[in-house]
Amino acid sequence: MATSGPGFTLTDFFASFGSAIRPAARRPFVVHDEDLVELPAGSVPNPTTLRVAGTLPTTTFELFRQVIPADGSSDMQRHYHETVHFVLAGDGHSEIEVPAGPEEVVFWTAGSFIYTPPWAWHRHYNDSGAHPVEFLTIENSRLLGQFGLIRRQSAGLVNMTEAREKFLEDA
């Protein structure tokens, strides 16, 4: 399966997450929390829990419910699509790369919106040792997928400097 460029298809991309996520022509207008499909552990490098509302009839954006456990974090990653996280519960901070500049550390709490620009290294941290953080994650990956422009990289559980060094050739 192609992950970008010629031969890439959005259907193949989402199918790679697991057999339960299959974009189709006929989908419901309402998906309930219990109907969200959890991405199988190991299917993406992000160590958080991701459940996708993959059966909604969206064609330009994708919706996830994401949970970061107490004292946990996401992986250091970047992708071509834009992402907005709405913080449903919890407190934390994010490291986000600023184009042509150093990273910025931003702090957030329930009710905050966190924006991640395209192709910017970023990592989200749960600052609580007792409670999980929960996000509603919205990304325009389906729109970019229609043009064959999906690309994601994960550097794992590293800091910004280590991520930049690991992928220096792709800067």
Side-chain angles (χ1 to χ4, degrees), residues 92-96 104-108 114 123-125 135:
H93 70 280
S94 300
E95 294 175 287
I96 302 174
E104 188 172 325
V105 176
V106 295
F107 293 87
W108 38 262
I114 309 160
R123 188 171 175 188
H124 308 292
Y125 297 84
F135 294 141

Side-chain angles (χ1 to χ4, degrees), residues 32-53:
H32 301 279
D33 184 63
E34 61 271 12
D35 298 326
L36 298 179
V37 178
E38 186 169 337
L39 299 184
S43 64
V44 293
N46 195 329
T48 66
T49 301
L50 291 164
R51 295 185 308 137
V52 63

Side-chain angles (χ1 to χ4, degrees), residues 38-158:
E38 186 169 337
L39 299 184
S43 64
V44 293
N46 195 329
T48 66
T49 301
L50 291 164
R51 295 185 308 137
V52 63
T55 58
L56 284 173
T58 61
T59 56
T60 60
F61 63 92
E62 191 65 75
L63 295 165
F64 297 90
R65 241 175 133 162
Q66 182 174 6
V67 176
I68 301 175
D71 282 331
S73 75
S74 66
D75 59 326
M76 181 66 72
Q77 61 179 272
R78 65 182 176 179
H79 35 69
Y80 281 173
H81 58 268
E82 294 176 286
T83 304
V84 173
H85 296 280
F86 176 70
V87 184
L88 297 167
D91 300 294
H93 70 280
S94 300
E95 294 175 287
I96 302 174
E97 183 177 46
V98 177
E103 66 269 12
E104 188 172 325
V105 176
V106 295
F107 293 87
W108 38 262
T109 187
S112 300
F113 289 87
I114 309 160
Y115 172 72
T116 305
W119 208 238
W121 286 111
H122 60 281
R123 188 171 175 188
H124 308 292
Y125 297 84
N126 181 347
D127 289 342
S128 170
H131 303 287
V133 161
E134 189 167 356
F135 294 141
L136 169 63
T137 302
I138 307 158
E139 58 184 48
N140 67 340
S141 54
R142 285 192 182 198
L143 175 64
L144 295 183
Q146 292 179 21
F147 298 103
L149 299 174
I150 292 291
R151 186 170 185 199
R152 299 174 190 250
Q153 289 181 329
S154 171
L157 300 177
V158 302

